[in-house]
Amino acid sequence: MTMQEMAQGTAAAARPAGRPRSEKAEKAIVEATLDLIAEGMGVAELSIEAIASRAGVGKTTIYRRWSNKEDLVVDALATLKAPPPPVAGVSVHDDLVTLLSAMQDEKRKSRTRCIINIAMSDADRYPRLMERFVKIAIEPRRQAVRDVVQRGIDSGELRPDVDVEVALATLSGAMLWHTKWGNGDVTDDFPTRVVDQILSGLTNR
């Protein structure tokens, strides 16, 4: 092997395969995005320049991770939505209370609620953004409720003619109404009361 070949091999070995992703930078970018939205900046007004300035990074750092503003906003919003909690699978009642309690806890976080509301107000202007957000962050929660209701139908705990989608809309709608538009006097046992009331019309008698 010639000296030139050895030098080229050494240089190639020293050169990294790709630029490592900085978790610290990504977290700063996501938090900057959420902070700007929480301060009242809609998706339309939000800019990569503003996010980069708030996060203390260059625009190229953002574009290396996200190809456009919409993808960044979706990922930022998704961090506000934890995965659905695991359910015990013992009874439909207890599992639904677990899922609805998680919804209630989430809605009680004023910053999260504010950010989601502001972002959703741009849904008509950014349909792709909202479509992706629903798929990533909302649909898993809906599916968790569907699965519990369907399991109840299959096991005989619920009536065989129960409409799964209507049950989903009724349960989630009750939580949404009282956490978003209610008078704020929602007690910790509210998810249990919702499930008790709805199941009284769904269970076999």
Side-chain angles (χ1 to χ4, degrees), residues 72-144:
L72 169 54
V73 171
V74 168
D75 286 349
L77 294 177
T79 65
L80 299 173
K81 297 281 189 178
V87 295
V90 177
S91 74
V92 170
H93 176 278
D94 291 351
D95 288 350
L96 289 178
V97 170
T98 295
L99 294 173
L100 265 61
S101 294
M103 292 182 191
Q104 177 171 262
D105 291 342
E106 190 174 81
K107 296 297 183 182
R108 282 175 166 172
K109 298 175 182 177
S110 59
R111 181 173 183 264
T112 297
R113 188 170 62 249
C114 173
I115 291 171
I116 296 298
N117 288 344
I118 292 173
M120 287 297 185
S121 68
D122 282 332
D124 291 341
R125 298 181 64 178
Y126 295 93
R128 177 176 169 274
L129 185 156
M130 288 302 111
E131 180 181 349
R132 288 194 60 226
F133 175 66
V134 168
K135 180 179 180 180
I136 293 172
I138 304 299
E139 186 55 33
R141 291 157 179 74
R142 292 176 177 171
Q143 191 58 50

Side-chain angles (χ1 to χ4, degrees), residues 149 157-159 162 167 171 197-205:
V149 174
E157 190 174 348
L158 302 181
R159 297 198 322 257
V162 167
L171 290 161
Q197 183 67 42
I198 292 175
L199 288 188
S200 67
L202 301 179
T203 51
N204 281 317
R205 298 185 180 184

Side-chain angles (χ1 to χ4, degrees), residues 29 32 36 47-60 62 72:
I29 293 166
L36 289 170
S47 69
I48 294 297
E49 289 79 2
I51 296 170
S53 177
R54 177 65 66 91
V57 302
K59 290 192 296 182
T60 55
I62 296 178
L72 169 54

Side-chain angles (χ1 to χ4, degrees), residues 100 168-180 190 194 198:
L100 265 61
L168 167 63
T170 305
L171 290 161
S172 58
M175 294 303 300
L176 178 62
W177 176 263
H178 284 279
T179 55
K180 187 172 183 178
F190 185 70
V194 170
I198 292 175

